[in-house]
Amino acid sequence: MVRYAEPGAVEWVESGGGPLIAVPETVLTFWAGADGDETASDYDRACEVDGCVGLLPVGDAAALVLGDEPASTSYLPDHDTFVRWCAADSEDELLAVVPTALAAAVWEDEVSWTVPGPVVLFDAAWPGDDAVNTDHLKVSLTPGRYAVRAADVRPGPETWLGLVQLRRLPD
């Protein structure tokens, strides 16, 4: 995990250039990443996701692909939102505009994501078995269905961030 500020500040996950993926912890071993003998690897499937978010089957669950930008990403539980650092002079500047960005966002269409519990965010190229040994972030989610929506927001001339917000749906 990358830390841009004092200890205890937000932790960021980075990719080697491809998409990040949030895989339910219970099915991590089923994610092969760029490895595998198949014609199209799991990583290839993640790269084919068009837009900011998409879902891919993994085991008996689904993983959330954060596509479009290979930006440093963190999860802010107070906002139930993955924040993607596309451009900002500092972490403080970026985090300070999150509430304004959430209020001003023009959201893409929602997808419905069912999770069995916590998920692990990491570079989609890595196999799930190796995810905890690489740059990753564990996100504690309550089991159930979530509406997932995404937006790119430019709250300032040199500040740009991606938002992927989760909203718990009734069972």
Side-chain angles (χ1 to χ4, degrees), residues 87-89 93-94 97 153-161:
D89 288 333
E93 176 186 319
L94 183 82
V97 300
V153 185
R154 296 179 190 235
E158 301 204 13
T159 306
W160 168 29
L161 59 150

Side-chain angles (χ1 to χ4, degrees), residues 102-127:
L102 286 165
V106 177
W107 300 100
E108 294 180 3
D109 292 337
E110 290 183 345
V111 297
S112 179
W113 183 31
T114 301
V115 297
V119 300
V120 179
L121 179 71
F122 59 99
D123 186 329
W126 289 100

Side-chain angles (χ1 to χ4, degrees), residues 62-161:
L64 179 67
V65 178
L66 304 182
D68 197 32
E69 283 286 325
S72 295
T73 302
S74 190
Y75 185 75
L76 303 181
D78 292 348
H79 300 288
D80 298 317
T81 302
F82 289 100
V83 175
R84 312 202 70 207
W85 185 339
C86 300
D89 288 333
S90 70
E91 180 182 67
D92 289 340
E93 176 186 319
L94 183 82
L95 295 175
V97 300
V98 168
T100 304
L102 286 165
V106 177
W107 300 100
E108 294 180 3
D109 292 337
E110 290 183 345
V111 297
S112 179
W113 183 31
T114 301
V115 297
V119 300
V120 179
L121 179 71
F122 59 99
D123 186 329
W126 289 100
D129 287 340
D130 292 339
V132 295
N133 298 322
T134 66
D135 192 17
H136 74 284
L137 181 65
K138 183 175 176 179
V139 178
S140 295
L141 296 177
T142 302
R145 289 183 330 120
Y146 290 82
V148 181
R149 62 186 186 170
D152 285 327
V153 185
R154 296 179 190 235
E158 301 204 13
T159 306
W160 168 29
L161 59 150

Side-chain angles (χ1 to χ4, degrees), residues 37 56 106 166:
D37 298 328
L56 291 178
V106 177
L166 309 179

Side-chain angles (χ1 to χ4, degrees), residues 31-44 124-130:
W31 183 259
D35 294 346
D37 298 328
E38 299 176 24
T39 305
S41 68
D42 286 341
Y43 176 73
D44 292 330
W126 289 100
D129 287 340
D130 292 339

